[in-house]
Amino acid sequence: MDLSPVIDGFGVVLEPTNLLYCLIGVVIGMLIGVLPGLGPAATIAILLPVTFGIEPVTAIIMLAGIFYGAQYGGTITSVLLRLPGEASSVVTVFDGHELARQGKAGTALGIAAIGSFVGGTVSIIALSLLAPLVAGFALDFGPPEYTALALLGILLVSTVSSGHRIKALVAASVGLLLATVGRDGFTSAERFTFDNLSLADGIDFVPIAMGLFGLGEILYNLEERHRATQAPAKVANAWPSRKDLRQSSGAIGRGSLIGFVLGILPGGGAVLSSLAAYALEKRRAKDPSRFGKGAVEGVAAPETANNAAATSSFIPLLTLGIPANATMAVIFGALLIQGVSPGPQLVSQEPELFWGVVNSMYIGNILLLIMSIPLVGLFVRILRVRATVLAPITVLITLIGVYTVNNDVFDIVLVIVFGAIGYLMKKLGFDPGPLVLAFVLGSLLEDSLRRSLLIFDGDATGFFTRPISGTLLAAFVLVAVLPLVRRALRRREEEHVDSSA
């Protein structure tokens, strides 16, 4: 492996401007993690217009910092207030808040900080080693392989998504439909434009992301955040004892591995990783009854896993051009807006950007470790700012931001429409993530499918004659059929039990 691009990447990160934006990103990420409901996807979507005036590598360094910074920010309120600021921190509430009630809030936050740092660092090292190999393998990808990969990605996100599986599939179908709006790339025929010139070039990604994740989340959270606030637990000594470190070391190691692997998978991400890591530790424990009553492993495992997953989810994005979760879809849009095409060529054609972003994560993790405890008091005070004050300011920034992209009032209309749709989706239990991911992958899927059929002279069986696309389509069929088989077996077992009774 040639190390010169890696070393040059550190040179990129250590430029004062990039260091500053890395710091800004992790601070914003921690802040967003503290504020319940908004989340990194919504924040990155709202900040997309801000990135237009800065260099691509600087912009992505900041947006990446927001993503992995948010994973730790949610820990603070989970431990001190029993209020998870980020979905991936829900599991941390179980033991983190119990430790706080026992006067060990500092221990919980210290273990979380160490676990987050170790998980993130292990995942970055693995990312540095694995991503170039994946990119080299992906150079063999043609239209058939990208067709199969896009199909598998959409299905995985839909079936593994949080919430009802049918609702996730419906949301993904709507996303695919929205991706077809505009002129046909092959025939130039207009589709679903309703004679509106503003729709002739298709729907831009920015209004959809800012509407669903930004405005929609704000409207939903305004309705939901009518809870009585409780006094935060006091933070004493934030450095864990040797016993705590020894007790949690295994959980941190296992959480790093689980988070890295699940973060790569479409639909996996930080939430699934934290749940899986917690479940594993509880199953392995000699006394599972300790969990939920202040077990340090119950904090160490999920916090390590969600940070490892946040980092490893960059592998499919940067090397294959496939976003693994909703936040990665928004960052994917940011890269496209900056004129950067994520995919196998990125490592060789844009080494400064690739290694600059990867190496910035080392710096970002160190910054998070240094700042995590001193800023706890400040972040808890921010929670006392009323949502009725924060929401109008955020909405105004969102609308001004989307207008500055194309200087088009129609984009503001789209943000409002998709904001209403996002609010209704949350109310009805639909996850907006599959819709956005399917929209992002829709154009890739359509173009690759049609190019593939031209290559195969219209013979769809050609997909199965190529090793990579055939394997990916076999995985697609397996993922689609497996839940049906599992449901049939469960039904047969229930019928057998009823008949024997």
Side-chain angles (χ1 to χ4, degrees), residues 129-274:
L129 297 173
L130 189 61
L133 298 177
V134 174
F137 170 73
L139 287 172
D140 295 329
F141 276 42
E145 286 73 26
Y146 275 110
T147 302
L149 190 64
L151 273 172
L152 182 60
I154 292 168
L155 183 67
L156 279 170
V157 168
S158 302
T159 53
V160 183
S161 169
S162 58
H164 199 278
R165 189 169 293 164
I166 299 298
K167 290 181 177 179
L169 285 169
V170 170
S173 301
V174 173
L176 288 174
L177 182 64
L178 290 172
T180 65
V181 174
R183 291 192 184 92
D184 187 313
F186 287 79
T187 66
S188 295
E190 292 191 0
R191 303 177 299 188
F192 305 113
T193 59
F194 307 104
D195 296 325
N196 188 327
L197 288 175
S198 297
L199 291 174
D201 292 327
I203 301 175
D204 197 30
F205 172 79
V206 176
I208 291 181
M210 294 180 77
L212 290 177
F213 290 119
L215 194 56
E217 291 282 348
I218 292 165
L219 293 173
Y220 181 75
N221 290 328
L222 275 175
E223 185 178 32
E224 293 295 314
R225 284 185 66 187
H226 293 295
R227 315 174 183 179
T229 56
Q230 53 179 307
K234 291 182 179 179
V235 180
N237 180 23
W239 188 253
S241 65
R242 286 186 179 180
K243 179 186 175 183
D244 292 328
L245 289 170
R246 189 167 55 250
Q247 204 169 346
S248 58
S249 58
I252 290 173
R254 288 182 289 272
S256 299
L257 180 61
I258 290 171
F260 178 78
V261 173
L262 292 182
I264 297 173
L265 300 177
V271 179
L272 185 61
S273 301
S274 60

Side-chain angles (χ1 to χ4, degrees), residues 397-409:
I397 292 170
T398 301
L399 296 179
I400 292 173
V402 77
Y403 176 77
T404 60
V405 176
N406 297 315
N407 293 325
D408 190 351
V409 176

